[in-house]
Amino acid sequence: MESLFFYIFSAIAVISAVLVIWNPFSRNTVNNAMFLVTTMLSISGLFVMLQAYFLAAVQVIVYAGAVMVLFLFVIMLLDIQEEKKRRLRLGSVGIGVILAAFVSTVFYKAFGSFGMESTGRLEGTTSALGSSLFVNFLLPFEIISVLLLVAMLGAILLSKKDLK
């Protein structure tokens, strides 16, 4: 039964990830963002199957929630006109396939030598992770929050029609 859920969540994740990049049904960017939410939710389901409940909750709250709201906010602020959207060119698709094959080869060579054995058990607690995050990594955490704030303000300024 567990393997059935794994295949279901994996298939949903892969299919919706492909539809984020190439959606033959619609050229609307909001639809692509919704497929990205579906991908993130199915990955959260895979985390639940691994009994990594904290990662599943973070995946839903942070990525599927906050980051996707920010993406949708920027997409709707930019208001891209249909005639201004770029079309796919055969050369760019070919370069993308070559780069994807190269990155896949590098990952296979790097991670294939480790053996990737899983004990099926995750160690550590949420409180240990939280104290490590807010004690040892407080400065990088704050820098990332300021960076996200500056990126959001930059998107708002870029989307304004007339700058005076």
Side-chain angles (χ1 to χ4, degrees), residues 4-21:
L4 175 69
F5 283 126
F6 171 76
Y7 288 125
I8 290 172
F9 283 133
S10 299
I12 291 172
V14 169
I15 290 169
S16 58
V18 167
L19 288 174
V20 168
I21 299 167

Side-chain angles (χ1 to χ4, degrees), residues 45-100:
L46 290 172
F47 282 141
V48 167
M49 290 184 57
L50 289 172
Q51 297 176 353
Y53 302 115
F54 177 73
L55 288 178
V58 166
Q59 183 79 19
V60 170
I61 293 170
V62 174
Y63 292 114
V67 173
M68 285 312 302
V69 167
L70 185 64
F71 281 179
L72 288 173
F73 181 67
V74 169
I75 286 170
M76 293 194 182
L77 262 179
L78 291 179
D79 192 29
I80 300 172
Q81 301 297 325
E82 186 66 32
E83 62 269 3
K84 291 184 180 179
K85 288 184 183 177
R86 293 184 355 196
R87 303 287 180 217
L88 287 178
R89 294 187 188 138
L90 189 59
S92 61
V93 171
I95 290 173
V97 168
I98 290 170
L99 287 175

Side-chain angles (χ1 to χ4, degrees), residues 111-133:
F111 295 123
S113 62
F114 290 124
M116 301 303 271
E117 294 151 2
S118 175
T119 61
R121 216 181 99 197
L122 298 174
E123 295 185 14
T125 62
T126 307
S127 62
L129 178 66
S131 66
S132 175
L133 180 66

